[in-house]
Amino acid sequence: MNKPHATHSVAVGTAHKPVKLTEALPGFSYSRAYFEGVVDQALAYARHLGASDAGAEISEGCGLSVSVRNGELENVERNRDKSLGVTVYIGHRRGNASTSDFSEAAVARTVQAAYDIARFTAEDPFAQLPDAADLASDADRLRDLDLFHPWDVTSEQAAAIALECEAAARGVSKQITNSEGASVSAQQSHFFSAHSNGFRGGYASSRHSLSVSPIAGKGRDMQRDYWYSSERNAQALASPQAVGEYAARRALSRLKARKIATTECPVLFESPLAAGLLGAFVQGVSGGALYRKSSFLLDSLGKAIFPKHIDLYEDPFVLGGKGSSPFDEEGVRVQPRKVIDAGVVQGYFLSSYSARKLGMRTTGNAGGSHNLRFTSRRTRKGDDLEAMLQMLGTGLFVTELMGQGVNYVTGDYSRGASGFWVENGKIAFPVQEITIAGNMRDMFKGIEAIGADEYVYGAKAVGSILINRMKIAGN
């Protein structure tokens, strides 16, 4: 099934002229200049109290969410959130406090609370602000990554888009008998952060989405599936019709699903699920799991965890990327890098704190990873899903996973699954109520191919992944 492509049919907002620093950006209540003033007030009061260091971050978020079901409006929700977080250091003692009240008195109370917490917190030799040498440069802080595209959509317009999407799904076949609904979301936020070590920076971003979940069949042979489109710019969203029709075809393809006998066979993970496998690797080589020694990938730096044809690249500077940022959550410099080169782990994902705990240097990943692209040197342009099914031959094509059966300490993997049984490179019939199991280390080593059917799931881009062998528990 071909996934829907981006179109320009759903955006109804208008372009905005550049906004001065003293003005609020479209849709926001507060300007960047106001945010800077509140943060500076918090840092000044922390110094007044005697803090050795301090940091503060102020943010505002707002948006609209509309859902429909079976042709009728179900829910309209507008959200507007704001927060000021303050971190105070007294030597190597650290305290945190937050508030949603930006008045001068509330800011002072929040700083005082953070200071009092620090006074009675045990010393931690690794608790301090990022090293000045690791901070993002002025040029990096001001880098425009095309992250902010406000969508001036009304609740009526959003409802019309959601209704069109659901109607498209229901119009595919009379076998689409019900719906769990369709929804449209338009969200945006901005923040400003500063530290007493000299860092000052912030930016605005947006995230918009459209989704639908149709139900096919009747009685005991009912099947549900879904699809969605999510982008920073509403102009790049797939059309409501494309999203609805694709979700319907997915649901219809699952009718008359059955179990299979317990076996061992190759397993092909559909690209959105393959992003979860990549996420397990990121979790395993992240600082918190490593310094707590709670990872199945301890001491993996410089070791071959994947086959030689596998690479992983991280790029924080992709224009409009969902994982793009000019600096990490601590204000630390970020940069493109190879995390895996020819199967060998070249780097971890570390914040300043976790890096100090490990005796290493921060990788600029406080807050998570940035735009990961997982690839195979064997992949050719024509290796779409159909080609990947041919590579699978006879085995299981997984399109849905259930449960949280991943042990990040041992690497043991066991998930409920559904999908399709494939014979001689062709889908034979849908499968449900099975369990797939293995160990993540063996699964990583057993990656035979990554498809060219690349899918961007959040900050991760990866095609379908073929693993040479896994255990399948069925009848």
Side-chain angles (χ1 to χ4, degrees):
M1 293 179 288
N2 295 321
K3 300 181 181 68
H5 297 289
T7 70
H8 297 270
S9 66
V10 302
V12 292
T14 56
H16 295 276
K17 296 179 180 179
V19 178
K20 296 179 181 179
L21 186 69
T22 54
E23 298 175 348
L25 289 165
F28 294 128
S29 299
Y30 301 97
S31 68
R32 164 72 175 264
Y34 179 84
F35 272 8
E36 290 194 34
V38 175
V39 166
D40 288 343
Q41 177 195 342
L43 296 182
Y45 192 64
R47 287 193 298 270
H48 169 73
L49 292 176
S52 55
D53 269 313
E57 179 174 308
I58 188 170
S59 63
E60 173 188 12
C62 58
L64 168 70
S65 298
V66 175
S67 62
V68 301
R69 183 171 180 270
N70 288 331
E72 295 184 0
L73 180 66
E74 188 167 64
N75 185 60
V76 177
E77 179 180 343
R78 287 195 177 273
N79 61 287
R80 186 171 293 275
D81 308 295
K82 59 179 184 174
S83 176
L84 169 69
V86 179
T87 302
V88 169
Y89 295 86
I90 304 175
H92 288 289
R93 297 196 298 266
R94 176 174 56 193
N96 304 88
S98 63
T99 182
S100 59
D101 185 346
F102 295 165
S103 67
E104 186 173 343
V107 171
R109 288 195 301 269
T110 303
V111 176
Q112 182 71 60
Y115 182 82
D116 291 339
I117 291 169
R119 287 172 55 210
F120 297 103
T121 298
E123 285 204 10
D124 182 342
F126 305 105
Q128 60 190 78
L129 289 173
D131 296 336
D134 292 326
L135 295 179
S137 66
D138 289 344
D140 283 339
R141 289 188 294 105
L142 297 174
R143 186 190 290 260
D144 182 5
L145 296 175
D146 195 34
L147 305 180
F148 183 55
H149 294 271
W151 188 11
D152 188 21
V153 61
T154 66
S155 56
E156 291 82 7
Q157 290 167 331
I161 293 168
L163 288 168
E164 181 184 352
C165 186
E166 186 184 50
R170 301 205 65 162
V172 169
S173 168
K174 291 182 179 179
Q175 288 184 289
I176 301 296
T177 56
N178 206 337
S179 169
E180 290 188 351
S183 64
V184 169
S185 176
Q187 301 291 326
Q188 61 186 62
S189 63
H190 71 127
F191 77 96
F192 177 76
S193 175
H195 306 156
S196 56
N197 63 1
F199 172 79
R200 299 177 69 82
Y203 55 88
S205 63
S206 57
R207 183 72 64 87
H208 314 301
S209 65
L210 165 66
S211 65
V212 65
S213 181
I215 297 172
K218 294 182 178 180
R220 301 184 65 179
D221 189 30
M222 294 176 67
Q223 295 288 345
R224 178 202 64 86
D225 214 313
Y226 79 102
W227 197 247
Y228 73 100
S229 179
S230 175
E231 299 289 347
R232 291 196 182 276
N233 187 344
Q235 291 279 357
L237 289 170
S239 72
Q241 182 174 357
V243 173
E245 290 178 353
Y246 185 65
R249 290 196 297 271
R250 290 179 66 93
L252 290 167
S253 70
R254 298 174 60 163
L255 291 174
K256 300 188 183 303
R258 59 187 195 247
K259 289 186 178 181
I260 56 174
T262 297
T263 186
E264 287 191 17
C265 65
V267 174
L268 178 65
F269 287 83
E270 189 183 25
S271 48
L273 304 185
L277 298 181
L278 177 54
F281 167 76
V282 174
Q283 168 75 15
V285 295
S286 291
L290 293 171
Y291 77 69
R292 295 186 185 97
K293 299 188 182 299
S294 59
S295 169
F296 69 100
L297 292 176
L298 286 176
D299 303 318
S300 58
L301 192 64
K303 296 180 181 177
I305 300 299
F306 296 90
K308 289 183 178 181
H309 61 94
I310 297 297
D311 297 308
L312 177 61
Y313 190 69
E314 181 179 34
D315 186 357
F317 303 139
V318 176
L319 293 181
K322 296 173 189 174
S324 295
S325 178
F327 46 82
D328 77 358
E329 285 193 356
E330 298 178 311
V332 164
R333 178 176 58 255
V334 294
Q335 57 191 352
R337 61 173 179 145
K338 264 201 169 181
V339 181
I340 299 167
D341 186 14
V344 177
V345 178
Q346 304 295 316
Y348 293 148
F349 295 88
L350 307 176
S351 65
S352 295
Y353 182 82
S354 61
R356 293 186 187 115
K357 293 278 284 187
L358 293 167
M360 304 177 77
R361 190 171 183 176
T362 176
T363 59
N365 289 112
S369 59
H370 309 283
N371 297 321
L372 298 177
R373 189 158 185 259
F374 198 45
T375 60
S376 167
R377 299 181 185 187
R378 296 176 179 173
T379 303
R380 301 163 300 179
K381 288 185 178 180
D383 288 341
D384 56 10
L385 180 57
E386 185 175 346
M388 292 297 288
L389 291 171
Q390 288 292 325
M391 292 183 208
L392 171 65
T394 297
L396 181 66
F397 173 39
V398 180
T399 60
E400 184 178 21
L401 293 169
M402 287 79 78
Q404 303 296 323
V406 183
N407 187 323
Y408 292 105
V409 178
T410 64
D412 288 338
Y413 182 97
S414 179
R415 304 284 302 274
S418 61
F420 301 89
W421 184 250
V422 178
E423 293 180 354
N424 299 318
K426 301 291 184 182
I427 290 177
F429 53 84
V431 174
Q432 66 180 1
E433 296 179 5
I434 59 171
T435 300
I436 58 174
N439 184 275
M440 294 300 301
R441 276 186 170 273
D442 297 330
M443 292 165 65
F444 290 162
K445 278 286 190 180
I447 294 178
E448 292 192 347
I450 298 179
D453 54 333
E454 190 173 86
Y455 179 83
V456 180
Y457 189 87
K460 301 175 181 67
V462 59
S464 52
I465 290 180
L466 176 60
I467 294 177
N468 59 5
R469 201 158 197 82
M470 292 186 70
K471 295 177 181 178
I472 315 296
N475 289 323

